Amino acid sequence: QVQLVESGGGLVQPGGSLRLSCAASGFTSVYYVIGWFRQAPGKEREGVSCISSRRGVTDYADSVKGRFSISRDNAKGTVYLQMNSLRPEDTAVYYCAADVHGSAYGCSRNTRPYDYWGQGTQVTVSS
C-alpha cells in the first residue's frame, strides 16, 4: 500500500526555520516526482516546490524562492523541505504528493499530475 507521511510541522516564530519530511513507502520504485503543497484556510492549495524523479531538478514558487529548499534521499525514501526565514504568510497545512509517472528532468507544481497525497502537517508562523 502506497503511503506518504509528512512530519516536522509546528509553531515557529517569524524568521525561524523548520524542516519538513515526507516519508514514502509501498512504491515499487524510488523514482517518482515529489511535490510540496500548502493550503491556508480559505485559500486554494498552492504548489510550493517540487523535485524530479532522478536528476534532482527542482522548482519553487516565487513566494518561497531563496528561503525554501527541497531535497531527496532515495536510500531513505524521504524528501525534505527546509524552510528558512519563515513568515506569517507561510502558515498553512503542508502536503507532500507523489507523481509516479513524472519526469526525470522536471516537475510540476500543479496538483493535477500527482497520484498520491499525504495527510498534511500544520505549520504555524506566529510570534
Side-chain angles (χ1 to χ4, degrees):
Q1 182 179 355
V2 169
Q3 192 173 19
L4 297 170
V5 179
E6 303 95 336
S7 62
L11 173 64
V12 64
Q13 292 187 342
S17 298
L18 285 174
R19 188 177 80 156
L20 305 184
S21 298
C22 173
S25 60
F27 290 89
T28 56
S29 165
V30 298
Y31 298 114
Y32 40 80
V33 170
I34 289 288
W36 279 100
F37 299 81
R38 67 186 180 186
Q39 189 165 20
K43 294 189 176 182
E44 292 189 355
R45 193 165 293 191
E46 170 193 19
V48 173
S49 182
C50 60
I51 186 166
S52 68
S53 61
R54 292 176 188 255
R55 298 289 183 176
V57 176
T58 60
D59 190 35
Y60 297 91
D62 287 344
S63 58
V64 306
K65 278 181 182 176
R67 301 188 298 122
F68 290 12
S69 177
I70 190 171
S71 61
R72 67 189 299 159
D73 183 338
N74 285 339
K76 295 183 178 180
T78 301
V79 174
Y80 305 97
L81 184 68
Q82 178 67 44
M83 306 187 297
N84 299 326
S85 302
L86 283 161
R87 304 167 180 169
E89 54 263 39
D90 295 317
T91 295
V93 178
Y94 283 71
Y95 301 89
C96 66
D99 172 8
V100 298
H101 304 292
S103 169
Y105 304 100
C107 61
S108 172
R109 288 184 289 108
N110 190 298
T111 59
R112 179 172 288 187
Y114 291 87
D115 311 287
Y116 301 97
W117 291 80
Q119 293 300 305
T121 185
Q122 176 71 46
V123 171
T124 302
V125 185
S126 175
S127 55

